[in-house]
Amino acid sequence: MATDPDPGTPAAPRARERSTRQFEAVRDELARGDDFRSAQDIHASLGARGTAVGLATVYRALQTLADSGAADSLRSPAGQAVYRVCGQVHHHHLVCRSCGRTVEVQGLAVERWAEKTAGANGFSDVEHTVELTGTCTPCRTTSS
Amino acid sequence: MATDPDPGTPAAPRARERSTRQFEAVRDELARGDDFRSAQDIHASLGARGTAVGLATVYRALQTLADSGAADSLRSPAGQAVYRVCGQVHHHHLVCRSCGRTVEVQGLAVERWAEKTAGANGFSDVEHTVELTGTCTPCRTTSS
DNA sequence: TGCCATACTGATAACGATTCTCATTTTCAG
DNA sequence: CTGAAAATGAGAATCGTTATCAGTATGGCA
Ligand SMILES: [Mn+2]
Ligand SMILES: [Mn+2]
Ligand SMILES: [Zn+2]
Ligand SMILES: [Zn+2]
């Protein structure tokens, strides 16, 4: 359960060093909308548009974007990794378990709770992951 | 992203009709702890204990338990489906990113915030995932 | 208690998403 | 313009989960 002993390497966040047509294509395709997309999905759209990019490259680009914070990523209930361009301000997600509709939410309350709780237990440099899942209004009225 | 249109079939919740040693074994193994476990994990533990149960059966049992509400299930960040017995006291985890030490925490503040935030956005049947990561005291003083 | 329709099991094949390989292409500092 | 290294991409390899389907065990019933 404990993370790698983290030898000497500061977990090299292998930042991007060169600019390529493929990477930009993925970035643009993701930015084309504000919803969560899977790697396969992006790969297909890109191909259909004539801007073909290898599937492996799409996966790599998406991961890099997520690592750098330029994109959010989460697991769809189906188990796929999905990505979306991320806003700058710190926020969390409220996702509809039925249609995937997502709302970015914030809250001083959680932030404070996280900080306080961690501190009370002697933890520092706290980070937190918060995801809310529910059923949105349209889906609720429809499915019943 | 959107789930199946749910045609006519009422999603037959095929309830369990017979009692078997395997199903009980999985249920018990899951109940042995209150943390999230993967199917593979349960399968291994069961085997190590001499109560061997086929992997496919473990997957089925876990799914059935989740469908009946006897277990909660979610996707671990690694993408695996993990299950936990339902009805345990609700709590979250505060994990040390260095040594893995984990503390179970609770908080009325987050609970309320989650409920309120979701409601304000028209979402119902809210569930939430909250994980705190930080550096525990021992690790902080050690790595200076 | 014995019978039997079938729910359940499990070894294994099939799947599908993501990652890995590695030869080839592309970028860019010098 | 050159060369070292980053980046790409086709295809193989992983790996968690699901589908098969033949063999087994359960429980209602005679
Ligand atoms: Mn975001
Ligand atoms: Mn909670
Ligand atoms: Zn919805
Ligand atoms: Zn620690």
Side-chain angles (χ1 to χ4, degrees):
Chain A
M1 198 53 65
T3 326
D4 1 324
D6 193 346
T9 315
R14 53 272 167 64
R16 199 145 189 104
E17 303 187 354
R18 296 179 186 177
S19 140
T20 66
R21 170 205 120 230
Q22 292 89 336
F23 188 83
E24 304 304 327
V26 172
R27 182 212 288 298
D28 293 349
E29 180 59 38
L30 192 64
R32 187 172 287 271
D34 67 336
D35 50 328
F36 281 97
R37 314 272 300 281
S38 70
Q40 311 262 0
D41 177 22
I42 299 239
H43 173 253
S45 298
L46 242 30
R49 178 165 311 165
T51 318
V53 174
L55 181 57
T57 300
V58 173
Y59 272 103
R60 282 187 290 241
L62 250 21
Q63 246 169 228
T64 299
L65 288 170
D67 287 346
S68 73
D72 283 320
S73 77
L74 55 83
R75 294 274 169 184
S76 73
Q80 281 189 243
V82 287
Y83 303 78
R84 187 191 60 173
V85 285
C86 182
Q88 314 310 81
V89 289
H90 175 73
H91 60 266
H92 299 293
H93 299 143
L94 170 54
V95 187
C96 174
R97 65 168 64 83
S98 174
C99 70
R101 192 190 316 286
T102 302
V103 179
E104 296 196 336
V105 299
Q106 300 180 55
L108 192 52
V110 244
E111 307 304 324
R112 277 207 275 243
W113 172 79
E115 199 62 43
K116 194 181 74 176
T117 301
N121 285 284
F123 281 61
S124 62
D125 306 306
V126 198
E127 284 178 69
H128 58 270
T129 299
V130 175
E131 285 290 326
L132 301 182
T133 309
T135 304
C136 72
T137 306
C139 286
R140 192 179 328 120
T141 52
T142 296
S143 70
S144 77
Chain B
M1 192 62 57
T3 324
D4 3 322
D6 195 346
T9 314
R14 53 276 172 59
R16 191 133 198 114
E17 302 186 356
R18 297 179 187 178
S19 141
T20 66
R21 169 203 122 233
Q22 293 88 337
F23 188 83
E24 304 304 326
V26 173
R27 182 211 289 298
D28 294 349
E29 180 59 39
L30 191 65
R32 189 171 287 273
D34 69 332
D35 49 330
F36 282 96
R37 315 272 301 281
S38 70
Q40 312 261 358
D41 177 21
I42 299 248
H43 174 254
S45 298
L46 242 29
R49 179 164 311 164
T51 319
V53 173
L55 181 58
T57 300
V58 172
Y59 272 104
R60 281 187 290 242
L62 251 20
Q63 245 168 229
T64 300
L65 288 170
D67 287 347
S68 74
D72 284 321
S73 78
L74 55 84
R75 295 271 170 186
S76 73
Q80 281 189 243
V82 288
Y83 303 79
R84 182 189 63 174
V85 285
C86 186
Q88 298 291 142
V89 274
H90 177 74
H91 64 263
H92 299 294
H93 296 152
L94 170 55
V95 188
C96 174
R97 65 168 63 84
S98 174
C99 70
R101 192 191 317 286
T102 302
V103 179
E104 297 194 337
V105 299
Q106 297 182 57
L108 193 52
V110 245
E111 308 303 325
R112 279 207 275 246
W113 172 80
E115 200 62 44
K116 194 182 74 175
T117 301
N121 285 284
F123 282 60
S124 62
D125 305 307
V126 199
E127 284 178 71
H128 60 270
T129 300
V130 175
E131 285 291 327
L132 301 181
T133 309
T135 304
C136 73
T137 306
C139 286
R140 192 177 330 119
T141 51
T142 296
S143 65
S144 81

